[in-house]
Amino acid sequence: MADHVAMTQLEVADYDLGLRGKLVRSSKTHGASGLAFCTILYGLSLIDDVTDTPFSNAANGYPDAQLVPDETTRVALPWRHGTDAVIAELVDEQGRPLEVSPRAVLAGLAARYGELGLAPVLGYEYELWIFRDGEGTSPPILGGRPAHGRTENAYSLTRCAEINDIATEFVNRMDQIGIEVEMFHAELGPGFFEFTLAPETALRATDNAARARQYLRDLCAERGLHASFMAKPFADKSGAGGHVHSSLTRDGNNVFSDGAGALSAEGSRYLAGLLAGMADTSLMLNPHVNSYKRIDPEMFTPALANWGYDDRGTSARVILPDAKSARVEHRRPGADASPYLVAAALLAAGLRGLQEELPLPERDAEPTELPGDLAGALAHFENSTWLPDLLGKAFCTSYAATRRAELQRYEQWLRTTITDWELHRHLEHQ
């Protein structure tokens, strides 16, 4: 019957949304089917402003590239009749993933860890806003709609009860496709919640994170709600973090600690790399103008590249409860950053620490100040001497072009917009 035609949701990693894609007949996604996708994908902003890059631009006509599904990621979506999903990569004429793809960059970094006999393990946790939908303009916050839930208490059981139906359905759906959501709870803020995902090897963990974000937004939309991972929608409230826990394994065993309550040599070098590379990778951890309005040490969002044991005031919180679960929580990334970019930033910085055997600074050493705005982060990224080697020149050039364009659009808006601040200050008094 016509309503039983099987469809596949093709999912492709981009720089801003996490995943983009399209629905196609499932039969066309198996074998040598000639699937293609427009390379403009890597030049689209959140609202589809187009940035020309050396790879895809008006001069070359934004060409298509072949799209190859990664069959290890194919899952049925039981809540969508007759539909499955698969993550796919754009590839070149030789069948190699495009160098500008953030997912391909991440896979390449994971392979370089493999050459050292190591496998990074990542665990994502996301804070997000859930708003009621309804009458008014979009997005919801601009329409003045109340946030989901009447109170703002963190870890509130009342708010857990209010959100129970959504949270339970989300957890169940993720279980059905092999993604384990370990926790869902209320955070401190209007309609503010957090969920955590079980740790997995780097690429699988990141695919899981990208899907969980997208599928939660889809679920909320089904229920007349709007889920947002915006970093800072409320000036006087906490911002939304996208913290990542990372560790190193060898032959399936965690080698981040020495087994006696301290960091191992490898764990120490990896952490040293995270700290040394944090300023240069801030553009990937905090990719938007709004991202930097979240940075506030008083709200546990670090402005310095520092570390400590179980210290939420640091950017790198080392957690060593036992050898099996030893890890470091990177607290600088925002919820607004693509998990692929965040993972690539962490793995690149950590790999540099391992390769160069960087020494770990003392905890009371003077820490590096991190960029406080998008312009500063862009300067660090473009001036980095080590990132092109680990991320690839093609990716660095393409990604930097999109951030530069984003900054220019904001600066143009700022130059030409009369703000409320100006009106209140000048109109009646001059």
Side-chain angles (χ1 to χ4, degrees):
M1 295 176 61
D3 62 344
H4 290 167
V5 172
M7 302 294 287
T8 291
Q9 179 168 284
L10 290 172
E11 301 171 341
V12 188
D14 75 343
Y15 293 159
D16 282 312
L17 295 182
L19 292 173
R20 291 184 186 247
K22 52 187 175 182
L23 283 171
V24 299
R25 285 183 177 271
S26 194
S27 58
K28 291 185 175 293
T29 69
H30 296 277
S33 57
L35 291 168
F37 208 95
C38 182
T39 55
I40 202 172
L41 169 78
Y42 302 116
L44 295 177
S45 75
L46 285 169
I47 61 169
D48 285 356
D49 304 302
V50 177
T51 299
D52 281 0
T53 69
F55 175 72
S56 184
N57 50 65
N60 68 11
Y62 308 105
D64 280 352
Q66 185 181 359
L67 192 66
V68 176
D70 178 350
E71 289 298 334
T72 66
T73 69
R74 190 181 290 270
V75 292
L77 303 180
W79 59 92
R80 289 172 57 180
H81 177 70
T83 304
D84 66 5
V86 67
I87 297 174
E89 281 284 8
L90 276 68
V91 302
D92 62 18
E93 293 81 358
Q94 287 74 45
R96 298 170 301 196
L98 297 182
E99 294 178 304
V100 295
S101 161
R103 187 173 186 267
V105 169
L106 173 59
L109 287 166
R112 293 177 77 163
Y113 276 83
E115 294 170 1
L116 300 177
L118 297 170
V121 171
L122 305 179
Y124 289 82
E125 55 184 46
Y126 281 108
E127 295 167 334
L128 73 152
W129 315 88
I130 300 180
F131 300 100
R132 291 195 183 97
D133 212 342
E135 298 297 325
T137 58
S138 182
I141 191 170
L142 299 182
R145 301 170 194 155
H148 191 77
R150 293 186 295 273
T151 62
E152 297 187 17
N153 312 84
Y155 306 115
S156 166
L157 294 179
T158 298
R159 294 179 65 200
C160 284
E162 290 175 339
I163 202 70
N164 183 74
D165 182 51
I166 292 289
T168 301
E169 179 65 15
F170 173 58
V171 172
N172 287 340
R173 286 187 180 186
M174 294 305 95
D175 271 350
Q176 290 175 317
I177 60 172
I179 298 175
E180 182 181 349
V181 181
E182 292 187 325
M183 192 182 309
F184 198 110
H185 66 86
E187 270 291 350
L188 180 57
F192 201 27
F193 297 91
E194 178 179 332
F195 68 87
T196 63
L197 301 177
E200 293 278 2
T201 52
L203 188 59
R204 178 172 174 80
T206 307
D207 286 341
N208 288 354
R211 280 177 154 169
R213 286 160 50 99
Q214 181 61 50
Y215 296 169
L216 180 55
R217 284 174 59 87
D218 295 345
L219 171 60
C220 286
E222 290 173 25
R223 305 297 178 88
L225 301 171
H226 177 80
S228 175
F229 292 87
M230 181 178 178
K232 190 75 168 180
F234 302 102
D236 60 341
K237 306 295 183 183
S238 298
H243 303 163
V244 183
H245 295 249
S246 60
S247 61
L248 301 172
T249 63
R250 177 177 285 111
D251 299 325
N253 298 312
N254 190 328
V255 296
F256 200 74
S257 83
D258 63 1
L263 288 167
S264 66
E266 287 162 325
S268 177
R269 291 165 185 162
Y270 175 87
L271 176 57
L274 291 188
L275 297 170
M278 204 173 295
D280 287 357
T281 58
S282 284
L283 194 68
M284 302 167 73
L285 308 174
N286 312 114
H288 305 291
V289 170
N290 180 259
S291 304
Y292 295 87
K293 296 184 178 181
R294 165 181 163 262
I295 308 303
D296 183 352
E298 292 187 3
M299 293 187 176
F300 302 102
T301 307
L304 304 172
N306 52 5
W307 71 283
Y309 291 108
D310 201 14
D311 184 350
R312 287 181 169 83
T314 61
S315 55
R317 175 189 171 217
V318 176
I319 306 169
L320 299 175
D322 52 62
K324 184 178 179 180
S325 55
R327 63 197 187 275
V328 57
E329 178 190 18
H330 200 318
R331 297 180 58 80
R332 177 74 177 195
D336 56 337
S338 160
Y340 294 102
L341 292 174
V342 171
L346 266 65
L347 265 59
L351 183 59
R352 179 191 176 209
L354 289 164
Q355 290 178 332
E356 299 182 14
E357 299 186 353
L358 297 180
L360 181 63
E362 297 293 332
R363 278 181 288 163
D364 58 356
E366 187 68 25
T368 300
E369 186 172 351
L370 298 175
D373 55 33
L374 190 61
L378 178 60
H380 272 279
F381 185 85
E382 293 193 298
N383 292 330
S384 174
T385 58
W386 60 276
L387 276 176
D389 174 59
L390 293 181
L391 300 178
K393 292 181 180 179
F395 169 81
C396 288
T397 301
S398 177
Y399 180 63
T402 67
R403 297 312 98 183
R404 190 180 309 108
E406 184 78 358
L407 181 61
Q408 289 170 348
R409 292 180 187 115
Y410 175 70
E411 290 175 340
Q412 173 68 14
W413 176 87
L414 204 57
R415 285 193 301 270
T416 59
T417 300
I418 309 303
T419 64
D420 287 345
W421 186 88
E422 293 168 278
L423 291 174
H424 285 303
R425 192 172 186 86
H426 297 286
L427 192 60
E428 292 190 17
H429 304 286
Q430 286 186 322

